[in-house]
């Protein structure tokens, strides 16, 4: 089956991003296809490479990066939600005149159309959030 | 924005999209950002319905005044949904009754349905986004 994933909550504060990761990983291991993982609302905070959890805790951001690398996952962070919350890639840094960028490897920033497209192209769109 | 590089329309596929709005308009950002999804999604010409339930009904309440709270009053945007061909707006009867509201209190025309009827509606959707 082809799944689209939408994550609406931030890392470490809410179970949603952990559950979404576990679901995505399990689906891939079972041979399913993940069309796209879309990060929205506070979910965009799953995509900052500045995240530095204590060493004995899971690293939610790096975990996504590694999974994306292994399975060529499309990890998309919503541009509008990202701008509100200070998640910036090199292009956005230039465009907005910021002094830094923080998007983690394996993620890209794009628009909400990517979420709608995931709904259209996937057999199931699974939303993780409150 | 790097946004809609992709051609809207989803390659000729039309699916039934349902947005379920359950949160009050202010206090959290869910309602505002959900409305942004609906507006962007309209370009894809899908078959769109919206449900307002629980405190989500307050999103449609007439007479919102946010001047003292420094929040943007985005309630007029719901009136623009019609122009985006988003016309199937449902409100859950139980939530409405519990809050002492009637359709006359809302900024847009809605259809009132019971929770059970909305369950049937959900059954017939392809994509449900719940915020």
């Amino acid at each position: 089956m082809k799944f689209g994933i939408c994550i609406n909550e931030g890392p470490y504060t809410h179970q949603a991003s952990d559950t979404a990761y576990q679901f995505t990983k399990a689906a891939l291991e079972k041979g399913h296809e993940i069309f796209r993982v879309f990060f929205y609302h506070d979910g965009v905070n799953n995509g900052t490479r500045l995240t530095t959890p204590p060493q004995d805790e899971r690293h939610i951001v790096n975990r996504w990066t590694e999974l994306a690398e292994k399975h060529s996952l499309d990890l998309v962070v919503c541009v509008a939600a990202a701008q509100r919350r200070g998640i910036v890639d090199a292009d956005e840094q230039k465009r907005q005149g910021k002094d830094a960028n923080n998007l983690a490897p394996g993620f890209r920033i794009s628009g909400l159309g990517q979420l709608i497209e995931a709904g259209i192209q996937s057999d199931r769109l699974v939303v993780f959030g409150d | 924005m790097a946004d809609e590089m992709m051609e809207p329309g989803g390659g000729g596929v039309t699916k039934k999209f349902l947005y379920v709005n359950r949160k009050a308009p202010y206090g959290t950002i869910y309602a505002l950002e959900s409305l942004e999804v609906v507006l962007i999604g309209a370009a894809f010409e899908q078959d769109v319905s919206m449900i307002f339930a629980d405190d989500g009904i307050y999103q449609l309440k007439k007479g919102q005044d946010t001047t003292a709270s420094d929040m943007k009053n985005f309630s007029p945007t719901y009136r623009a949904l019609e122009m985006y061909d988003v016309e199937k707006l449902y409100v859950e009867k139980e939530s409405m009754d519990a809050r002492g509201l009637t359709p006359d209190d809302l900024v847009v025309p809605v259809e009132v349905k019971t929770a059970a009827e909305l369950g049937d509606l959900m059954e017939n959707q392809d994509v449900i986004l719940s915020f």
Side-chain angles (χ1 to χ4, degrees):
Chain A
M1 192 176 271
K2 199 194 289 185
F3 288 104
I5 308 291
C6 181
I7 300 173
N8 292 336
E9 299 293 344
Y12 301 103
T13 55
H14 200 292
Q15 177 67 31
S17 73
D18 282 281
T19 309
Y21 170 81
Q22 303 295 355
F23 179 92
T24 303
K25 187 164 168 282
L28 289 164
E29 283 165 2
K30 290 279 183 188
H32 296 291
E33 186 186 334
I34 302 294
F35 177 77
R36 176 171 297 145
V37 182
F38 191 85
F39 296 86
Y40 197 43
H41 298 305
D42 275 358
V44 299
N45 291 309
N46 286 283
T48 165
R49 67 164 186 270
L50 301 183
T51 301
T52 314
Q55 284 204 336
D56 58 349
E57 279 186 33
R58 71 214 184 285
H59 198 307
I60 293 178
V61 179
N62 290 357
R63 220 168 50 172
W64 278 116
T65 296
E66 286 156 19
L67 197 67
E69 204 168 291
K70 191 172 170 194
H71 298 278
S72 305
L73 278 184
D74 189 19
L75 305 181
V76 178
V77 173
C78 170
V79 61
Q83 284 175 342
R84 284 194 180 103
R85 294 164 178 85
I87 307 295
V88 179
D89 65 4
D91 282 351
E92 281 295 305
Q93 177 191 349
K94 204 176 295 174
R95 199 182 346 250
Q96 307 292 340
K98 299 294 178 184
D99 61 3
N101 65 71
N102 59 348
L103 193 71
F107 290 79
R108 65 187 179 95
I109 289 184
S110 189
L112 278 167
Q114 301 278 311
L115 171 62
I116 305 297
E117 191 199 24
I120 295 170
Q121 300 296 335
S122 306
D123 298 312
R124 291 280 187 280
L125 180 68
V126 188
V127 182
F128 293 88
D130 261 343
Chain B
M1 286 191 284
D3 274 27
E4 274 46 73
M5 309 281 276
M6 190 191 85
E7 198 172 306
V13 181
T14 304
K15 283 192 171 182
K16 289 184 176 168
F17 272 70
L18 171 67
Y19 299 96
V20 185
N21 300 280
R22 299 170 293 128
K23 304 282 196 340
Y26 313 102
T28 66
I29 200 170
Y30 295 104
L32 173 63
E33 286 192 332
S34 302
L35 190 55
E36 289 179 351
V37 180
V38 177
L39 296 174
I40 296 287
F44 288 76
E45 295 177 346
Q46 302 294 300
D47 182 359
V48 175
S49 304
M50 296 177 78
I51 289 176
F52 296 86
D54 301 341
D55 280 350
I57 290 177
Y58 289 123
Q59 293 175 28
L60 300 179
K61 180 79 174 62
K62 276 180 189 164
Q64 295 180 29
D65 180 357
T66 58
T67 44
S69 61
D70 203 20
M71 301 293 288
K72 183 164 90 177
N73 177 0
F74 57 96
S75 63
T77 311
Y78 293 98
R79 291 205 299 265
L81 286 172
E82 197 185 357
M83 291 188 302
Y84 290 84
D85 289 324
V86 178
E87 291 167 322
K88 285 179 273 190
L89 308 181
Y90 303 102
V91 167
E92 194 206 49
K93 183 175 189 305
E94 289 85 344
S95 304
M96 192 98 138
D97 291 347
R99 287 161 184 78
L101 295 170
T102 71
D104 287 343
D105 297 310
L106 309 180
V107 294
V108 284
V110 296
E111 193 175 324
V112 180
K113 281 182 178 287
T114 64
E117 287 168 337
L118 292 175
D120 292 339
L121 183 81
M122 287 180 178
E123 196 73 41
N124 290 312
Q125 300 298 316
D126 298 310
V127 180
I128 299 180
L129 285 155
S130 178
F131 296 110

